Structures are given as structure tokens and as C-alpha cells.
Amino acid sequence: MIKICIFDLDGTLAATQESIARPVNMTLALYGLPPQPVEAFNYFAGDGIKNALKRALIASGDTEASHLEEGLPKCRAWMQEDPCYKATPYDHIEWALDELKKRGVKIAVFSNKPHESAVSVVETIFGKGVFDHIQGQTDRIPIKPDPTGVFEILDKFGAKKEECLYFGDTNTDMQTGNNAGVTTVGVTWGFRPRSELEANNADIIIDSPEEIPGLI
């Protein structure tokens, strides 16, 4: 019996590429580097803002990412300034979440965004109190694919690994779920292709949020 569903945020619950591209491209501009197109963030994003900035610096010509450490605090500040910039929920995801709640399933978010940004984005898009728990990256919770955040959420709700589904759209997400020993559900509507989910051992792959309640 499934008692809890844990969702990645970027590319799983919401289309957030522009909200990530904005602070990263503002940071690139500080160093006279060309901006990266929004679609490039399908691959730059997913492993935390530091890795997104590093990948963008390299793509823009700073091949050694020499501006990373200096630019990162500025990038984080700009992200926190407007973490929901042009972010929108995917079609039918709100309906699917409501169906889970009707069935008594706890729903949580585990994101590689900084914790404050994750909370802001989720509560702005979906409303306060919709999710039973929101967890972003902190000094105590490392970025995925480290499974610490998954374990914390399971402990919070007294759920066992076999009572959890973990939803995500990237290799990092599938690795996170596998590292935690929970059932992984790859979603194809996000940032990455089905082939990446398959290559990273997704237990289940779905093509629409409308399929989510049927997994319970």
C-alpha cells in the first residue's frame, strides 16, 4: 500500500526553466558572457543552482568555470529575489495531487533548489498547505542524488520504503529514488527524454499526470 508520494519540483510539478535561466543569465552578464537559451536549462538544471551555473559558464566560454565561486552568491540572491519567474504547473498535475489527497496519500516535495526558494515556488504555484512537506537543499540536506531528504520525509510520516513512490524527470531523480530504495516513477513531460529515465533504471515511466492516481 502506498502511503506517501514524493515529487521532484523542477520539470516534474512545474515548468521552471525560465526561473532558473533568469538568475544564471544575469550572472553570466556580470562577466560579459553571452546568455544561454532557456531550452538549454533542460540539461543545465536538475543538480542544484551551483551546477546549473557551472554548466552555463562553460557553455558561454568560461571553460574553466573560473567565475563560479564569485558568481554563485549573486546567482543565488537573484534566484531568491524572484524564484517563481514565469514558473507554471504542468497540465493536470493539480488534479492528480487532489486525487492523491482524497485517497489519504501524503504528498511531499524534495527539490535541489535552495530550501527557501523551493518553499516559495511550491506555495506560490500550488498554495500553502497543499503539500504535507516541502524539502529543499540545506546545509543539513545535501543535494540529490543523495537520498537523505527522502529518508527524512519517510521518517516524518512513519512510512516504509515500500510504501513510497518517488516521482522525477531526470537521471538525478531516478538515482535518488534508487539510492533510497523506493519505487521510482519517471515522468516524460519534464526536462529530459524517456531514454534517460530508462537508462537510469526507472521502475515505472508515465507520460501524463493523469496516470498518477492509477499507481496507488
Side-chain angles (χ1 to χ4, degrees):
M1 178 180 176
I2 299 300
K3 293 184 177 180
I4 186 164
C5 290
I6 302 175
F7 294 87
D8 167 56
L9 174 53
D10 300 307
T12 300
L13 293 172
T16 57
Q17 294 96 321
E18 293 202 62
S19 69
I20 302 167
R22 174 186 172 273
V24 170
N25 280 334
M26 290 172 72
T27 307
L28 296 180
L30 282 177
Y31 304 107
L33 297 170
Q36 290 298 303
V38 171
E39 57 268 22
F41 288 85
N42 284 349
Y43 285 91
F44 293 164
D47 300 304
I49 192 64
K50 182 175 183 177
N51 284 312
L53 177 59
K54 180 179 180 180
R55 291 163 183 162
L57 284 167
I58 292 170
S60 294
D62 180 8
T63 57
E64 302 298 322
S66 60
H67 298 296
L68 179 61
E69 295 305 324
E70 180 186 18
L72 184 59
K74 299 178 177 66
C75 186
R76 284 178 169 153
W78 279 319
M79 169 168 274
Q80 186 58 30
E81 182 180 86
D82 193 0
C84 300
Y85 179 74
K86 294 188 177 181
T88 57
Y90 287 109
D91 291 343
H92 309 297
I93 194 71
E94 290 171 291
W95 170 84
L97 296 172
D98 188 53
E99 287 296 308
L100 293 178
K101 290 170 75 71
K102 287 178 181 177
R103 300 177 192 204
V105 177
K106 298 293 185 182
I107 56 174
V109 176
F110 182 27
S111 174
N112 268 346
K113 283 186 180 300
H115 182 70
E116 294 79 8
S117 295
V119 171
S120 177
V121 171
V122 172
E123 292 187 345
T124 298
I125 293 176
F126 297 99
K128 292 185 178 182
V130 171
F131 284 89
D132 297 293
H133 185 72
I134 303 167
Q135 184 62 61
Q137 188 270 324
T138 68
D139 291 339
R140 193 174 56 82
I141 305 292
I143 64 170
K144 300 178 284 187
D146 186 292
T148 300
V150 174
F151 295 144
E152 291 254 335
I153 294 169
L154 293 180
D155 288 345
K156 179 179 177 66
F157 295 104
K160 300 175 182 177
K161 294 177 181 179
E162 58 268 25
E163 296 171 329
C164 174
L165 296 179
Y166 180 89
F167 294 80
D169 66 308
T170 69
N171 58 338
T172 299
D173 290 312
M174 298 305 97
Q175 291 163 14
T176 302
N178 290 331
N179 288 343
V182 299
T183 298
T184 53
V185 183
V187 307
T188 62
W189 59 80
F191 292 178
R192 308 285 176 80
R194 173 182 287 265
S195 58
E196 179 170 307
L197 302 171
E198 292 173 339
N200 285 274
N201 302 309
D203 294 308
I204 302 166
I205 297 178
I206 59 175
D207 299 313
S208 167
E210 294 174 291
E211 297 178 61
I212 292 173
L215 300 177
I216 304 304

